[in-house]
Amino acid sequence: MVDMDADWPLPRPINFFKESRRPADSPTPDADSIASTFSSLAAPVVAEAVRRARELSTNCDAEGFHQLRVAFRKLRALYWAYSPYLGEEATAHATEEFKRLAAVAGGTRDWDIAGDLLKAAQASRASMGILVAAAKEKRAQAVAHSQTMIKCDDVESFLNDVLLRAQMQLESSCNDLPIRDFAEDRVRRAERALKKRSRYASRNETAHEEDLHDVRKAGKKLRYLLEFFQPVIKGGHDRTIKELTSVQNKLGLFNDIAASETLIRSASFDDVPPEVVQESLQWLEKQKCRRMRAAARRVRTIAG
C-alpha cells in the first residue's frame, strides 16, 4: 500500500469541497463537460465522508461507520470512471487511500455484523454467550482504532487536496468534452465487467466465495455509476438500479457470514474456550452454505 503521508504530504484544508448544494440556476448535468461534472458528483460524497468522519469522535453508531465506508467506496468508483483522464498514477494514489480509509471504518461495522450473527446463534446455543460478549469487546477496540486512525481534519484535508488535483487535471485535458458519451461508455464497461464476473462465477455448479465476492464488487461499481450518471445517460435505469440492489442484498447476506467467519477465525479470544469458538464456526459454516446457494442462483440470472 502506498504511504500517502510520506509520498504526498497533506496540506491544510482549503475548503474547496465544503458542504454545498448546486445553485438552482446552475446548468443541468447533461449540459456540462466531463471536467465540470466531476466536481458536482464528487462534492456531495466528500461532504458526506467529512460529516461522518467528524461524527466518529463522539458517535460510534454502526450506521455512521457503514455510511463512511460507503462514501469511500463511491469515491473509488468515481475515480475508476474518470481514470482515463486522471491517469494511472493519480488514480492509484487516491483509490489506495480511499480503500485504506474504508477498511479502517469497516472494522467496527464488521464486528457489528459478527456480533449480530453470534446473537442469532446464541438463541439455540446458550454457550455462545461468552463469545457474544467477547465480540462486543472486539467491537469497542475497533471503534477506538477507527477514532485514532480517522481524524476529521486529516480526512477533509486529504479529500480537498486529492479532488482539487483531479479537477485541475480534468480541466486541462477534457474541459470542453461533453459528458454523455463518456458516461455511457464507462457504464457499458462496468456492465461488461459485471457480466464477465457473473459468468466466471457460474462456470461451475458450486460457486466459490472469491468469485461471488468479485461479482458483488462489480455490481456495486455499476450501481454507483448508474446513480452518478443517471441524469445524463440515455434511457431510464431505475429498474436496473433496483435489480442490482436486490442482487447486492442477496450477495451481502452471504458476504456478511463469510466475512464474519474469517473475522472470528483470525481473532484471538483469550477468555473464550476453543470449543465455543469452534462451535460458532460450525454454525456459521452451515449458514454460509445456505446463503451461498441463494447467492449463486442470483448470480446465474445475471450471467444468463
Side-chain angles (χ1 to χ4, degrees):
M1 181 180 295
V2 177
D3 183 351
M4 294 295 294
D5 289 333
D7 297 341
W8 194 345
L10 303 181
R12 296 305 302 162
I14 56 178
N15 301 324
F16 185 76
F17 285 99
K18 280 290 189 181
E19 291 189 49
S20 61
R21 296 189 179 276
R22 175 186 288 267
D25 59 349
S26 63
T28 55
D30 58 346
D32 289 345
S33 68
I34 293 174
S36 62
T37 304
F38 175 81
S39 62
S40 68
L41 295 176
V45 185
V46 169
E48 174 72 4
V50 171
R51 181 173 72 86
R52 295 291 183 178
R54 183 182 299 117
E55 291 173 350
L56 288 189
S57 61
T58 57
N59 187 353
C60 57
D61 176 67
E63 186 63 15
F65 283 99
H66 174 61
Q67 292 303 326
L68 180 58
R69 179 162 62 174
V70 168
F72 288 126
R73 286 173 173 171
K74 287 183 176 181
L75 288 172
R76 287 178 64 195
L78 191 62
Y79 257 72
W80 176 86
Y82 283 85
S83 60
Y85 294 105
L86 292 175
E88 184 177 344
E89 183 177 355
T91 301
H93 270 290
T95 54
E96 279 298 314
E97 185 67 356
F98 296 153
K99 184 176 181 181
R100 184 190 72 80
L101 290 167
V104 174
T108 297
R109 173 69 173 171
D110 290 342
W111 278 111
D112 280 322
I113 293 170
D116 288 343
L117 287 168
L118 291 174
K119 288 177 184 176
Q122 186 183 4
S124 58
R125 296 165 174 78
S127 61
M128 210 74 72
I130 188 172
L131 187 54
V132 171
K136 186 176 181 180
E137 177 59 30
K138 292 289 185 183
R139 198 262 187 194
Q141 294 172 8
V143 169
H145 178 68
S146 295
Q147 291 174 331
T148 299
M149 299 298 294
I150 299 179
K151 299 298 185 183
C152 177
D153 287 347
D154 291 343
V155 170
E156 185 175 12
S157 178
F158 163 70
L159 291 176
N160 282 334
D161 182 63
V162 74
L163 292 179
L164 179 57
R165 288 171 184 252
Q167 186 66 39
M168 293 172 63
Q169 170 63 24
L170 294 172
E171 289 176 355
S172 68
S173 61
C174 59
N175 198 34
D176 57 347
L177 298 179
I179 183 64
R180 175 168 288 171
D181 290 346
F182 167 78
E184 290 178 346
D185 174 71
R186 301 310 284 169
V187 167
R188 280 195 299 270
R189 289 175 183 272
E191 288 174 335
R192 288 198 294 267
L194 174 59
K195 181 74 74 173
K196 181 179 179 180
R197 293 292 187 184
S198 300
R199 288 173 175 167
Y200 190 81
S202 302
R203 73 196 188 283
N204 297 322
E205 189 165 331
T206 302
H208 297 284
E209 289 183 36
E210 296 81 2
D211 297 337
L212 292 177
H213 185 55
D214 287 341
V215 172
R216 182 168 175 262
K217 290 190 295 184
K220 280 187 176 183
K221 179 189 289 184
L222 174 58
R223 195 186 88 205
Y224 292 152
L225 293 186
L226 286 173
E227 290 172 348
F228 277 130
F229 293 129
Q230 190 173 18
V232 300
I233 55 182
K234 296 178 181 179
H237 292 274
D238 289 337
R239 181 178 176 182
T240 302
I241 292 173
K242 185 177 180 180
E243 290 174 350
L244 284 169
T245 301
S246 176
V247 172
Q248 289 299 305
N249 289 340
K250 189 69 69 174
L251 288 169
L253 291 173
F254 160 71
N255 184 73
D256 286 349
I257 295 174
S260 295
E261 180 187 26
T262 300
L263 194 64
I264 292 171
R265 285 188 186 279
S266 61
S268 58
F269 301 98
D270 296 334
D271 298 325
V272 180
E275 59 270 21
V276 174
V277 176
Q278 187 60 36
E279 186 180 11
S280 74
L281 292 173
Q282 291 171 352
W283 184 86
L284 286 168
E285 181 67 27
K286 291 179 181 178
Q287 300 300 314
K288 184 176 72 174
C289 291
R290 181 168 63 88
R291 295 294 187 186
M292 182 183 288
R293 289 192 294 269
R297 285 194 295 270
R298 294 305 300 269
V299 169
R300 281 193 286 272
T301 63
I302 300 175

